[in-house]
Amino acid sequence: MIFHITDVRHTLGILLLLLLSGCTGNLADVQVWGGQGSEPWCFNEPFDVAADAHGFVYVTDVRNKRVQKFTADGDVVLTFGQQQLEKPGGIGIGPDGTVWVTDYDLDRIVHFDPNGKLLAAWGKAGDGPGEFASPVDVAVNAAGQVYVVDQYHHRIQQFSPDGHFLRTWGRQGKINGVRSALNFLLADDHAGEFYYPSRIAIGSDDSVYVSDAYNNRVQVFDADGYFLHSIGGMGLWGGRFRVASGIAVRSDVSVKPTPPLSLLSL
């Protein structure tokens, strides 16, 4: 199940509504907590949310330069990252329960244990492998491999669990709006290209789902970056997008591969 969030400045309640309704299928099973402020439990621009296998909820709190960890009932467990984060963005949970956070301003990835202890930080501004231009989101697959949305390079970078660069794919490519709206009739030639990718999620079969924001679609790749297919296109009706942003994938989702098209490796 894929959810579309067009404004990340909404309250945490909107994020939790999407997260919990995706798990329960019932929009009534929703909790709302938080308010504007700097004390624990409050937020100043909550940006991303993730839940671990034990039901703890982690939220990046951008202008407070921190991550907050909650129980499933909304009780604050701890806050962390104030000494390591300048502008926390995307957040992902590894199979071992560790927490990965992108720092949008410092162009790096920061790795914490579930108790907020710093484990590692790597990356810097630049155009090369392992370098970033505003990393906006991160996801981790079952093998612990780390995928980063390198937004202003219009690409995805893939790393080993210890931060060793593995590969990158994607490049800048903008789909004409008419062709995007009519892509059920006219196939586009921009497979594997992005125009400001925004979010990433991993399926149960390790397929990689990327919100290709201003191409109004989600692109799906295998674990090594080979293009499989795309979802959506510009439009206001069901199954279409107008700036694809937030994304989540149900645990029972899998995809069927098609011949690989666009993989760029360095």
Side-chain angles (χ1 to χ4, degrees):
M1 184 177 294
I2 297 170
F3 298 105
H4 179 200
I5 308 171
T6 58
D7 190 342
V8 297
R9 295 172 297 176
H10 284 164
T11 65
L12 178 62
I14 299 297
L15 299 175
L16 289 177
L17 183 146
L18 295 175
L19 177 66
L20 297 176
S21 65
C23 297
T24 66
N26 184 354
L27 291 179
D29 297 336
V30 173
Q31 300 178 44
V32 179
W33 66 77
Q36 187 169 9
S38 59
E39 61 271 23
W41 192 81
C42 292
F43 305 95
N44 195 346
E45 290 194 18
F47 186 81
D48 200 10
V49 60
D52 68 15
H54 302 289
F56 291 106
V57 178
Y58 298 79
V59 183
T60 51
D61 187 4
V62 175
R63 294 192 181 274
N64 287 324
K65 302 181 181 182
R66 66 186 180 186
V67 175
Q68 296 200 62
K69 179 180 179 179
F70 301 87
T71 67
D73 294 323
D75 297 321
V76 177
V77 177
L78 62 95
T79 66
F80 60 91
Q82 293 95 327
Q83 303 303 313
Q84 296 85 20
L85 298 168
E86 180 64 28
K87 190 173 183 180
I91 188 167
I93 309 298
D96 57 357
T98 58
V99 181
W100 300 81
V101 182
T102 66
D103 194 312
Y104 195 79
D105 276 2
L106 296 182
D107 293 303
R108 67 177 186 170
I109 310 303
V110 188
H111 190 197
F112 300 94
D113 75 7
N115 297 314
K117 178 183 177 181
L118 177 67
L119 298 176
W122 37 267
K124 62 180 182 179
D127 301 326
E131 299 175 345
F132 304 104
S134 300
V136 71
D137 201 14
V138 60
V140 187
N141 71 9
Q145 294 180 339
V146 180
Y147 297 79
V148 179
V149 180
D150 189 5
Q151 189 170 52
Y152 280 85
H153 284 139
H154 308 276
R155 66 183 180 183
I156 307 301
Q157 295 199 58
Q158 181 183 356
F159 302 87
S160 68
D162 61 359
H164 176 70
F165 173 81
L166 298 176
R167 61 180 58 85
T168 185
W169 71 88
R171 60 187 177 190
Q172 184 173 348
K174 181 70 171 71
I175 301 173
N176 175 274
V178 173
R179 184 172 288 273
S180 176
L182 297 177
N183 64 2
F184 54 92
L185 296 175
L186 304 171
D188 68 67
D189 57 354
H190 292 275
E193 298 179 1
F194 301 106
Y195 199 59
Y196 300 100
S198 60
R199 295 290 190 276
I200 192 166
I202 308 295
S204 59
D205 59 356
D206 281 344
S207 296
V208 180
Y209 295 75
V210 181
S211 291
D212 187 5
Y214 289 95
N215 280 329
N216 305 292
R217 63 181 178 177
V218 172
Q219 295 196 67
V220 187
F221 305 85
D222 74 6
D224 295 324
Y226 288 98
F227 175 83
L228 299 176
H229 66 88
S230 63
I231 301 166
M234 182 180 289
L236 301 178
W237 58 96
R240 315 295 287 186
F241 303 103
R242 188 66 181 94
V243 186
S245 183
I247 185 171
V249 181
R250 262 178 20 184
S251 60
D252 59 351
V253 167
S254 62
V255 298
K256 296 181 180 179
T258 57
L261 291 180
S262 180
L263 174 66
L264 304 177
S265 295
L266 296 179

